[in-house]
Amino acid sequence: MKSFTFTPINSSNSCFPKTHFPRVPIFHLFSKIKPFSYNTHVSRRAHTLPFTINCKLKSSQDIKNKGNKSVSQKIVLSEASPPPLTENDGANGGSENVPVSSKKKGGMAKKLSRKILQILSNLPLAIGEMFAVAALMALGTLIDQGEAPDFYFQKYPEDHPVFGFFTWRWILALGFDHMFSSPIFLGVLALLGASLMACTYTNQLPLIKTSRRWTFLHSPEAIRKQEFSESLPRASIQDVGTVLMGAGYEVFLKGPCLYAFKGLAGRLAPVGVHIALLLIMAGGTLSAAGSFKGSVTVPQGLNFVVGDVLGPTGFLSFPTEAFNTEIHVNRFYMDYYDSGEVSQFHTDLSILDMDGKEVMRKTISVNDPLRYDGITIYQTDWSISALQILKDNEGPYNLAMAPLKINGDKKLFGTFLPVGDINSSDVKGISMLARDLQSIVLYDMEGKFVGVRRPNSKLPININGTEIVIVDAIGSSGLDLKTDPGVPLVYAGFGALMLTTCISFLSHSQVWALQDGTTAIIGGKTNRAKLEFSEEMNRLLDKIPEIVESSLSKQVDSISG
């Protein structure tokens, strides 16, 4: 059931019986219009309509005594001609005078704060700040982040400066090697946030207050100046209010004036957008200056402590108790394509508390990390740490595998088993190479290819009189660890941004009406969908009934009797 607030028309006209307009300051009308029939009339928008409205009135006593039943009263809307407007009505030609507090003389601090707010809320300044943030972010993607100083010495030397002036000195002095936590980037973000808050305080919030205020127009000229205007002869603004209420408008009446609006949420959307942007920037700042990051490569079967790997990224980084957590690598294994190429690699991890008790276990892979108490562990890389062999049925022996440099992005690992006197200056032995955990390629002491063996195949191979059995290839898991306290804020900000962006498409529509004698002058405007608003108003005005004098006389006679 929809509601709107009526303030009764104050009139001394004898044709308005007191029962027609109860003299209460404001009452909420919960109305259900009884079915009625329309009669054709010569007016373009007119329908003959004697009808009644059943409504519930809320008086001040009802509000004070909660729990009492609301008073039910039958109100007959008058069909008499409303009193004509006097010359004094609408002399101001605009909205009703609203008391304004007198200006107070402030000190220098107050004037300075107003000046600062005016500068910060400047739209060109805010646009420039957004371009500056975008430019710094683009520069941060071009410059490698988090590298050692030697890297920048070599890539941006002074003898070959980029663009004739840009060298490693600029990068290290301005903090561009850690762009997103550098003072320049955070300063521009803070300035943009201040501009958003200043714009919200000086522009958006006053606009919302104005939109919520009942602004009655007292002159026909002011109403006709609206984007949409129409005059309905022999029509009542009370009928206009009833029709607008049925269309979802909040309707207010005061004397011969009517004001209605809907879609106030559209006015709130810009404030929501600003808040969403502030959340995103706050979350991004917290992520850049308050996170911990680290990388580690752990062989299968070994442990590591989280706090030994993670390092702070900025001045807001503070360790937690979770940094004492110990991680055990239970197993590392890989999946392969039919061609033999590596398709995916997995690590089975166990999280141990201070007493060595397992509190969580999960097998992670690329794009499927482990999250525990604010710490996220990603699977990012792999290697082969050792090769386990049997030599002449003795062992097993673990031979450390070392990465070898080759062209392209292929991986290759190798190890060496000395044969004979290891203290000799000319040591010879058996070489073993592996590109993954599936197969091991063996070479004799002369460097000639001997054969290929799979780990766990238990198939021996004889090389220069030495029998070798490949027992296992032990892999190492490459892990990236990260804490990011700003993620919840960023997610909340983007969620709010999507929601408020959709809400901002809602139109805020306002309608004014004025009773000028027997004519209802109606005007309105909207901030969006202006063509649809005109079509909607035309449809609503077609539903407004026409006041018939003969019907009025019968009703007045029955009430007088």
Side-chain angles (χ1 to χ4, degrees), residues 12 33 63 87 157 300 321 325 368 379 392 397 415 432 458 460 485 515 517 542:
S12 60
I33 301 178
I63 298 174
E87 293 181 358
Q300 176 179 300
E321 293 183 359
T325 302
D368 184 19
Q379 179 75 72
D392 294 329
Y397 302 103
T415 188
M432 306 177 193
K458 298 181 180 180
Q515 194 75 61
D542 286 337

Side-chain angles (χ1 to χ4, degrees), residues 96-292:
E96 183 184 68
N97 292 330
V98 178
V100 180
S101 58
S102 58
K103 297 181 179 179
K104 298 179 181 180
K105 295 183 179 180
M108 291 297 296
K110 190 173 183 180
K111 293 181 180 179
L112 181 61
S113 62
R114 288 181 179 178
K115 185 65 176 178
I116 293 175
L117 286 175
Q118 183 180 2
I119 295 175
L120 289 175
S121 59
N122 191 348
L123 181 59
L125 176 63
I127 294 175
E129 293 164 355
M130 295 182 70
F131 273 107
V133 171
L136 291 174
M137 292 176 66
L139 189 60
T141 59
L142 295 176
I143 300 176
D144 297 271
Q145 300 292 296
E147 300 292 343
D150 291 341
F151 173 84
Y152 301 103
F153 295 159
Q154 297 177 5
K155 192 167 184 179
Y156 303 95
E158 291 186 302
D159 52 350
H160 292 90
V162 180
F163 301 118
F165 70 95
F166 193 77
T167 65
W168 61 267
R169 294 185 181 274
W170 287 86
I171 297 175
L172 299 182
L174 299 177
F176 288 172
D177 56 329
H178 52 279
M179 173 67 76
F180 303 105
S181 60
S182 65
I184 293 180
F185 184 78
L186 295 180
V188 176
L189 272 187
L191 186 60
L192 178 58
S195 294
L196 289 175
M197 290 187 287
C199 179
T200 302
Y201 179 77
T202 59
N203 295 334
Q204 300 299 335
L205 293 181
L207 187 61
I208 294 175
K209 293 180 181 178
T210 302
S211 300
R212 292 177 57 88
R213 187 177 300 155
W214 303 356
T215 54
F216 297 100
L217 299 184
H218 292 268
S219 70
E221 291 77 12
I223 295 179
R224 291 191 178 99
K225 289 180 181 179
Q226 303 303 318
E227 298 171 356
F228 173 87
S229 64
E230 186 66 79
S231 297
L232 300 182
R234 304 188 63 79
S236 170
I237 60 170
Q238 289 186 333
D239 297 337
V240 175
T242 302
V243 172
L244 290 175
M245 182 187 65
Y249 282 82
E250 295 288 336
V251 182
F252 307 94
L253 279 174
K254 184 176 182 182
C257 304
L258 176 145
Y259 171 68
F261 74 90
K262 74 173 181 178
L264 186 60
R267 288 293 190 187
L268 298 173
V271 177
V273 170
H274 287 184
I275 295 175
L277 291 175
L278 289 173
L279 285 175
I280 294 172
M281 289 189 294
T285 301
L286 189 57
S287 296
S291 300
F292 285 84

Side-chain angles (χ1 to χ4, degrees), residues 36 43 137 183 191 292 316 318 338 427 441 494 511 540 546:
F36 54 85
S43 175
M137 292 176 66
L191 186 60
F292 285 84
L316 297 177
F318 299 100
D338 294 338
V427 180
V441 181
F494 275 109
V511 177
L540 295 177
E546 181 185 1

